[in-house]
Amino acid sequence: MSGRASGVGVGLIRKIRSAGRVAEPAGDRGERLPQAAGLAGSVQVRHVDAGSCNGCEIEIGQAFSPVYDIERYGVRLVASPRHADVLTVTGPVTVNMASALRKAYEAMPEPRLVVAIGDCAKDCGVFAGGHGVAGPVSDVVPVDAQVPGCPPEPDAIVAALRGLTGR
Amino acid sequence: MTPWLVAVAQAALLALAAPLVVGVTRAVPARLAGRAGGRIAQPWRDLCKQLRKQPTSPADASMFFVAAPAVMMATSLIVAATGPFIAATSLFGGADLIVVVGLLLLGTVALALAGLDTGTAFGGMGASRAMVIAALVEPTLLLAVFALSFRVGSTDLSRIVAAGATEPARVFTPASLLAAAALAIATLAETGRIPVDNPATHLELTMVHEAMVLEYSGRDLALVEWAAALRLSILLGLLANLFAPWGVATSLDPMWLAVGAAVFIGKVCGLAALLSAGEVWTAKLRLFRVPELLAGSFFLGLLAVLASAILA
């Protein structure tokens, strides 16, 4: 039992050594948003899926993974809109999610920013005209920045959020 | 230097260093996971930004919600000012073990009441979990230090640390080994670290500390997070100074105080790095198994008291 347990520990040390640093070198920073100047290098993000196919969620997950490692630029995901400075929204806003999105936005303390991620958030994408679709994100809450793409690459999401932290 | 000046300097040093200690506990696992990781000063950036934002208050909240951040910060600052961190002199006589544990518990209870006060499901769930953990941790904290107080004949933490610093041979006893193990587990539970709570997760079903602070924002959130960071530094500092009291200033000579401050920061950062590296190898316990772990640590504390009473 103890032999196996120590084996697992040593194996993990070996794995940590052989993996080394997996974070890729930084790409270009996105355009600096003047509204985000007061955040001074610290951005707490709350994410709302307003009706996305989850393609954008996978890419956002990658942006926070060890490879793209957006946390090094001062971006952190938080558990509550009350803690957040930035709301990231994906997908066309469905009828059932419109009021939830509005409530999440209103729960955030001022100053608050919204980043619409993906083509659906921008103009409903392939879902435009669907019977359950209320409209793009900008119809429900004011949008400060957009990341185009279906889905956008993690690099594009990292660049847009770095435009908010300014780092 | 007067004792009052030392107390203020000690509180200021801990308050300034506490967010950096949290930064260390985030940087170490990030490096081990192959990340570049945030900067060690990132928690300070977060705090400064939150302090500038306007707080919001839920519709049903009362004075408990408003008062909790101030109560938490005030109790932590009092412990930071009077505890034996840089200097172990009993000149201001406030660092009694029972007072320190009581003050820390007061902060815990204030936050649990605030969690209940928000009227949300998660707030109440977090509060009930925090109270279960606190009820099991506080007796362990008391017992573990009682075991050390036997050899000094006083529950004054400063005198315990000073006795350890002047007579190093008395630090390495079976009783203090048992007490160190008990206090280490109690520290993990009290500060919400793995395996009791996971500070990095935002999964609603498992969180304890974070479930209570979900409704805080802006300035209030900054105070709660700052106080939580301060409590981590306080408990790590107590652990370091009770079981490795070298470098603690036993007089109020400015040079020794400077040495004491440097050694203290080194010890706390080292412990924080060790703690967060250890978290890479451990998983969070199921909530229903946490009482077993804490009962085990209580038993270690009890054995420590028995050992010091019989062997002393």
Side-chain angles (χ1 to χ4, degrees):
Chain A
M1 178 67 196
S2 69
R4 217 182 87 207
S6 73
V8 169
V10 172
L12 195 52
I13 291 177
R14 206 172 290 136
K15 224 178 255 175
I16 290 169
R17 274 235 190 101
S18 66
R21 176 174 288 198
V22 293
E24 297 276 329
D28 289 334
R29 195 179 77 200
E31 202 183 321
R32 192 84 211 268
L33 268 190
Q35 304 97 296
L39 298 179
S42 155
V43 167
Q44 261 86 322
V45 174
R46 178 70 194 162
H47 178 66
V48 172
D49 174 350
S52 125
C53 69
N54 276 18
C56 293
E57 270 67 31
I58 292 173
E59 305 300 318
I60 293 172
Q62 286 308 307
F64 284 90
S65 73
V67 176
Y68 293 94
D69 195 23
I70 195 170
E71 281 193 28
R72 67 183 128 167
Y73 306 117
V75 181
R76 206 153 54 86
L77 276 178
V78 292
S80 165
R82 299 257 190 226
H83 301 184
D85 316 296
V86 172
L87 195 67
T88 55
V89 191
T90 54
V93 182
T94 58
V95 173
N96 289 342
M97 279 302 287
S99 66
L101 176 59
R102 209 172 287 123
K103 273 185 192 162
Y105 179 72
E106 279 158 11
M108 291 166 69
E110 301 268 6
R112 52 197 174 189
L113 301 169
V114 176
V115 179
I117 293 179
D119 284 345
C120 296
K122 192 173 150 214
D123 54 12
C124 296
V126 294
F127 300 107
H131 75 276
V133 173
V137 175
S138 53
D139 282 7
V140 184
V141 291
V143 172
D144 297 280
Q146 282 179 330
V147 187
C150 181
E153 282 183 17
D155 266 334
I157 298 171
V158 170
L161 289 176
R162 281 180 71 192
L164 300 180
T165 62
R167 286 167 62 184
Chain B
M1 285 177 103
T2 65
W4 283 102
L5 212 61
V6 174
V8 171
Q10 200 170 254
L13 179 79
L14 256 84
L16 288 176
L20 301 180
V21 172
V22 172
V24 169
T25 65
R26 284 188 195 153
V28 170
R31 290 285 155 81
L32 293 178
R35 290 172 185 272
R39 293 188 193 160
I40 288 177
Q42 184 65 35
W44 255 121
R45 281 174 183 259
D46 296 352
L47 278 183
C48 291
K49 182 208 61 191
Q50 298 284 14
L51 281 170
R52 284 198 303 269
K53 293 189 86 169
Q54 272 300 311
T56 55
S57 190
D60 301 321
S62 69
M63 55 168 277
F64 287 106
F65 183 81
V66 182
V71 172
M72 256 187 101
M73 195 66 201
T75 52
S76 306
L77 277 178
I78 294 172
V79 175
T82 56
F85 298 112
I86 300 171
T89 51
S90 333
L91 286 174
F92 21 80
D96 192 88
L97 162 68
I98 296 162
V99 176
V100 166
V101 172
L103 281 171
L104 290 177
L105 187 62
L106 190 64
T108 311
V109 171
L111 191 65
L113 283 176
L116 284 174
D117 195 31
T118 59
T120 62
F122 286 133
M125 197 174 71
S128 75
R129 287 175 179 177
M131 284 296 97
V132 167
I133 293 170
L136 291 164
V137 164
E138 305 303 333
T140 310
L141 279 179
L142 283 173
L143 267 188
V145 190
F146 274 147
L148 303 178
S149 68
F150 260 101
R151 66 171 189 232
V152 185
S154 159
T155 53
D156 187 343
L157 289 174
S158 304
R159 284 181 61 182
I160 298 174
V161 171
T166 45
E167 293 172 77
R170 293 175 80 173
V171 177
F172 291 113
T173 58
S176 41
L177 260 183
L178 288 165
L183 199 64
I185 297 174
T187 302
L188 291 180
E190 181 72 22
T191 54
R193 310 297 306 190
I194 285 176
V196 176
D197 188 7
N198 184 353
T201 186
H202 304 302
L203 192 64
E204 289 87 347
L205 293 176
T206 63
M207 55 197 188
V208 180
H209 168 77
E210 191 140 18
M212 294 185 287
V213 305
L214 279 179
E215 289 290 332
Y216 279 112
S217 64
R219 206 170 51 220
D220 290 343
L221 179 67
L223 269 186
V224 170
E225 292 302 327
W226 198 355
L230 197 47
R231 290 163 68 105
L232 177 67
S233 290
I234 285 171
L235 283 163
L236 288 180
L238 277 183
L239 196 62
N241 277 357
L242 284 171
F243 301 104
W246 304 287
V248 178
T250 43
S251 68
L252 295 180
D253 178 22
M255 197 195 74
W256 280 113
L257 287 174
V259 171
V263 171
F264 175 73
I265 295 288
K267 277 196 273 197
V268 171
C269 285
L271 265 184
L274 201 68
L275 163 87
S276 50
E279 287 179 346
V280 174
W281 273 266
T282 15
K284 188 181 166 300
L285 274 181
R286 264 182 75 205
L287 189 70
F288 294 117
R289 305 221 24 207
V290 167
E292 288 173 27
L293 174 78
L294 297 180
S297 77
F298 179 80
F299 188 65
L300 285 177
L302 199 63
L303 283 180
V305 170
L306 285 176
S308 64
I310 292 165
L311 299 178

